[in-house]
Amino acid sequence: RVQLVESGGGSVQAGGSLRLACTASTGAAPGYCMGWFRQAPGKEREGVAVIDSDGSTVYDDSVKGRFTISKDSAKNILYLQMDRLQPEDTAMYYCSMGYVGGTANKATMLARGGYEYHSWGQGTQVTVSS
């Protein structure tokens, strides 16, 4: 099972930026998607952004135009560049990776807040103050 380790979280003021990184123990094979998800206290986990093996991306509406997901396949690192951060972005951020096939795709992975049977990291905290 792939191991995922997130880094880059922290505390910033509204309008600031952070870049999260997720280092995977193995690369993503064709058919695999990687994504960022977040969970705020008292709320369900939600999808932030997902990228598939071809590099195609999907974003939650709340982060479109502010966040950018990317990956360095040579280094097995997934990134999330977060700009113009807002207090409502405060949450624990998790990365996840897994095979997506059949009726599932990157859009369903995002909409469902990820799949439990995929690999998950331990999370990194992002706190945005007003």
Side-chain angles (χ1 to χ4, degrees):
R1 193 174 182 85
V2 64
Q3 302 297 316
L4 302 171
V5 179
E6 301 97 336
S7 62
S11 298
V12 296
Q13 290 190 328
S17 298
L18 284 173
R19 188 175 79 156
L20 305 183
C22 173
T23 302
S25 58
T26 62
Y32 275 65
C33 288
M34 297 186 74
W36 288 99
F37 302 83
R38 65 187 181 187
Q39 187 167 21
K43 294 187 177 181
E44 293 187 354
R45 188 176 63 211
E46 62 179 6
V48 176
V50 175
I51 186 167
D52 67 18
S53 55
D54 294 328
S56 179
T57 61
V58 290
Y59 294 89
D60 184 76
D61 286 345
S62 66
V63 306
K64 280 182 181 176
R66 299 189 299 122
F67 291 9
T68 303
I69 188 172
S70 63
K71 60 181 179 177
D72 185 332
S73 297
K75 297 180 179 179
N76 298 336
I77 300 176
L78 178 72
Y79 297 104
L80 184 69
Q81 177 66 41
M82 305 187 294
D83 298 317
R84 304 200 308 277
L85 281 159
Q86 302 167 5
E88 49 266 39
D89 295 317
T90 295
M92 184 71 79
Y93 283 71
Y94 300 90
C95 71
S96 182
M97 182 170 84
Y99 178 76
V100 178
T103 58
N105 52 45
K106 58 183 179 291
T108 62
M109 184 177 175
L110 182 78
R112 289 174 177 267
Y115 293 107
E116 291 304 321
Y117 62 88
H118 283 177
S119 296
W120 291 84
Q122 293 300 307
T124 186
Q125 178 68 38
V126 171
T127 302
V128 185
S129 58
S130 58

